[in-house]
Amino acid sequence: MNETIATILKRRSVRAYRPDPVEKTDIDLMLRAARHAPSAMNQQPWHFTVIRNPKLLRKLEKHCLNAFLESTNEALREIAKQEGFSVFYHAPLMVIISGDPGALAAQYDCTLAMENMMLAATSLGLGSCWANAIMMYHATEKGKAKFRELGVTFPEGYQPYAAAAFGYPATPWPDAPPKKPDCVTFMD
Ligand SMILES: Cc1cc2nc3c(=O)[nH]c(=O)nc-3n(C[C@H](O)[C@H](O)[C@H](O)COP(=O)(O)O)c2cc1C
């Protein structure tokens, strides 16, 4: 198996992080990989907000928990109520990819960029985990106001489409969860 396939198969959602900061050179490599993702008509309608300030991260994390606590989804509310639960899993790095909603396919473009970041992170020994609470909280008026208050802003008119936590895993690398069989149709 070549290294690329091995990295794709290795990537897992990591849900426990060491507090050690991620090296700037690694962040730059991850961002470079992200910016090489495909985008509709090569519009590259994205912006990367890289949050490393631990105090800001913890504040944002605390507020984003409300997105789960106030969700209509019971499972999310139950997860959020668990003792010690953290929506960013105490990660030392959060990257939010915002995009221009007027672009042809901003959500796809930003999501593809994030997958490239996650794969690059995996190849560098870093864990990653999508953080849906960012998008969920920002979608509410209260959330938008809180993001502004904390100074987490995006280019004019842009909205967050993808967000993920990154860092060195605090626990052994997770095993792959079961993968759904029978989801392929070949038409030869
Ligand atoms: C759109 C999307 C939203 C997700 N939201 C969260 C989330 O808020 N918190 C979380 O811990 N994992 C989240 N995940 C990660 C999934 O739970 C995870 O990818 C899935 O369980 C498969 O595990 P794996 O990533 O280790 O293969 C999300 C994944 C996607 C694609």
Side-chain angles (χ1 to χ4, degrees):
M1 188 188 303
N2 72 39
E3 265 184 56
T4 305
I5 303 289
T7 300
I8 291 170
L9 298 184
K10 183 180 172 196
R11 185 215 54 81
R12 295 273 72 82
S13 295
V14 167
R15 297 193 173 89
Y17 294 93
R18 302 206 315 255
D20 331 21
V22 177
E23 296 286 340
K24 174 72 167 50
T25 45
D26 286 350
I27 299 176
D28 288 342
L29 283 171
M30 287 155 54
L31 289 168
R32 189 169 172 198
R35 293 170 52 233
H36 277 258
S39 65
M41 292 193 77
N42 194 29
Q43 287 182 328
Q44 304 175 52
W46 44 49
H47 182 82
F48 300 86
T49 301
V50 180
I51 308 177
R52 294 188 287 173
N53 177 320
K55 279 194 189 140
L56 176 57
L57 270 172
R58 300 298 71 95
K59 275 188 204 161
L60 190 62
E61 181 167 48
K62 191 181 101 202
H63 291 293
C64 285
L65 181 67
N66 288 315
F68 279 20
L69 286 171
E70 293 163 15
S71 166
T72 52
N73 182 300
E74 197 190 337
L76 281 185
R77 289 199 305 275
E78 287 311 311
I79 290 171
K81 280 190 236 157
Q82 284 167 14
E83 180 75 31
F85 176 75
S86 138
V87 269
F88 301 169
Y89 306 104
H90 308 291
L93 172 67
M94 168 61 57
V95 177
I96 304 174
I97 310 182
S98 56
D100 176 1
L104 267 177
Q107 187 162 11
Y108 297 140
D109 299 338
C110 293
T111 305
L112 286 162
M114 183 55 86
E115 175 68 350
N116 270 15
M117 282 202 94
M118 290 175 157
L119 294 174
T122 307
S123 76
L124 296 165
L126 291 159
S128 61
C129 190
W130 187 284
N132 223 43
I134 293 269
M135 277 67 72
M136 288 169 67
Y137 196 48
H138 191 270
T140 66
E141 285 312 312
K142 199 167 77 174
K144 273 190 192 64
K146 189 53 75 179
F147 271 64
R148 274 195 300 272
E149 190 188 311
L150 293 174
V152 182
T153 54
F154 309 111
E156 185 64 27
Y158 275 38
Q159 65 180 67
Y161 285 114
F166 296 91
Y168 298 100
T171 49
W173 197 263
D175 289 331
K179 296 293 166 189
K180 213 168 120 180
D182 307 327
C183 56
V184 180
T185 304
F186 281 102
M187 297 186 178
D188 297 327

